[in-house]
Amino acid sequence: MILCFLTVISACSKRIVPARPADIEVPPVSQKSEKVSPVKKDIDHSIALLLPFELNTIDLETATAQEISKTDLAVDFYQGFKLALDSLSSEGHNYNLQVLDTQNQEARVVNLASAPSVKENEIIVGPIFPDAISTFSEFFENNPSKLIVSPLAASMPAQFKNSNLVTINNNVDQHGWKVADYINRNYKPETVNIVLLNTRKTDDEKFAAPLRKYISELSQGKFKIIERPNAIGLQTYLSTSKNNLVILTSSDRMLLIPIIDKLYQLIAVNYKIELFGHPNWVKATFLEGTKMQALKTKVSSSYFVNYKTSEVKHFVARYRDEFGFEPSEFSFKGFDIGYFTGSLLKKYGKDYANHITDETYNGLHNDFRFTKDPSSGYSNTQIMMLVYRALELQLIK
């Protein structure tokens, strides 16, 4: 039933109740403007949510579990988003939520960007993939009073050239700055030896470049970096008297495991080593907690949920009760983005775009605080540092 009604949802009650499946009309993919139910006028606020459900590729009568799983990201994000608006609606504000399937197709995205009824919404959340964001931005008529929220893409905002874009997820440049800032704040140049292991492969260099830049800039050149393309002869580059800060810019399992094993062995012979890793390590299941903790491993992250807090426990309980499932990463992100955008509309109404940089939001998975660039829009500056404690990643406060 969820898959049936998610193509278009108009919700105007205080509970954000979705339309009945029989009321749904799936617009055809064409080069003409998308026909979507217009926003009703007797509501407080209107939001368009553009997600890749790909319902056009699924036959509900014959679909396998694997085929249906393609919708997991979109469904989980939508359900978290809906729960956020339900929370805000309980305080007396009504929202019209249009949920539209981008179908992960360029023509469909063009149709949505051109649809007058989509443009009528005060905030547009999505699309979520970089290519779709680029296409939507190209065909959507810019309006300084209406913002487009990029909820999940970690791309550099400058690539979209859209001054109305709100980028939630942190990009790799911001991760590099965060690690460099942490090092600059917590260590003295004369007491540490920094070794940067960088294969110079494209993805590794994307993280290494801002690390080099910001470590030098923030310390005014006081920190010196020894950079190596691999771990051959690694021990000769480590100090026996100083604290060795080893930064690995790769997330390649075949490369990481032998290097981490080697560093772990060196601790046993009294080398002082602290390891800094790539942001993707947060999701790496092959990393051994014992070794990571012994190396005092730290990583920057845009996503961390502390299941011990009362706020998270309350959300998980509500989510289970409402949907009968455990919330995923995208459920948490959907809730935080839904609550933040809904709160902006609730507090400032149609003037919300002029106040987005005034607000700080403390979320379940990350905090939001935005700065504005005249050419690339709004970027979230909040990012976390995590460290291995009790054999798991925990937030450094």
Side-chain angles (χ1 to χ4, degrees), residues 73 145 249 292:
L73 183 156
S145 67
T249 64
M292 293 295 99

Side-chain angles (χ1 to χ4, degrees), residues 193-311:
N193 175 51
I194 301 178
V195 179
L196 178 65
L197 295 182
N198 172 28
T199 65
R200 296 281 181 168
K201 293 180 180 179
T202 302
D203 287 343
D204 297 355
E205 178 60 19
K206 284 181 180 178
F207 186 42
L211 279 168
R212 269 191 238 103
K213 174 185 176 182
Y214 294 126
I215 288 176
S216 177
E217 287 183 358
L218 292 173
S219 70
Q220 297 180 334
K222 294 178 182 178
F223 282 109
K224 304 302 178 183
I225 301 175
I226 300 172
E227 185 167 352
R228 301 296 301 162
N230 52 54
I232 296 175
L234 174 61
Q235 191 169 346
T236 62
Y237 299 99
L238 299 180
S239 171
T240 56
S241 59
K242 296 181 178 181
N243 188 12
N244 295 282
L245 307 183
V246 179
I247 308 173
L248 286 176
T249 64
S250 176
S251 55
D252 183 347
R253 174 176 180 169
M254 299 302 293
L255 177 70
L256 292 181
I257 290 179
I259 295 178
I260 291 172
D261 286 345
K262 178 63 176 178
L263 293 174
Y264 184 63
Q265 292 167 6
L266 290 173
I267 291 176
V269 291
N270 296 322
Y271 277 87
K272 296 178 181 179
I273 299 173
E274 292 187 38
L275 181 61
F276 290 80
H278 191 282
N280 288 346
W281 288 17
V282 172
K283 297 182 179 180
T285 58
F286 59 85
L287 299 174
E288 296 182 33
T290 301
K291 294 177 181 178
M292 293 295 99
Q293 182 166 315
L295 291 166
K296 301 177 181 178
T297 305
K298 301 171 186 69
V299 293
S300 57
S301 180
S302 300
Y303 177 82
F304 177 75
V305 175
N306 184 355
Y307 285 88
K308 297 178 182 179
T309 66
S310 58
E311 293 83 2

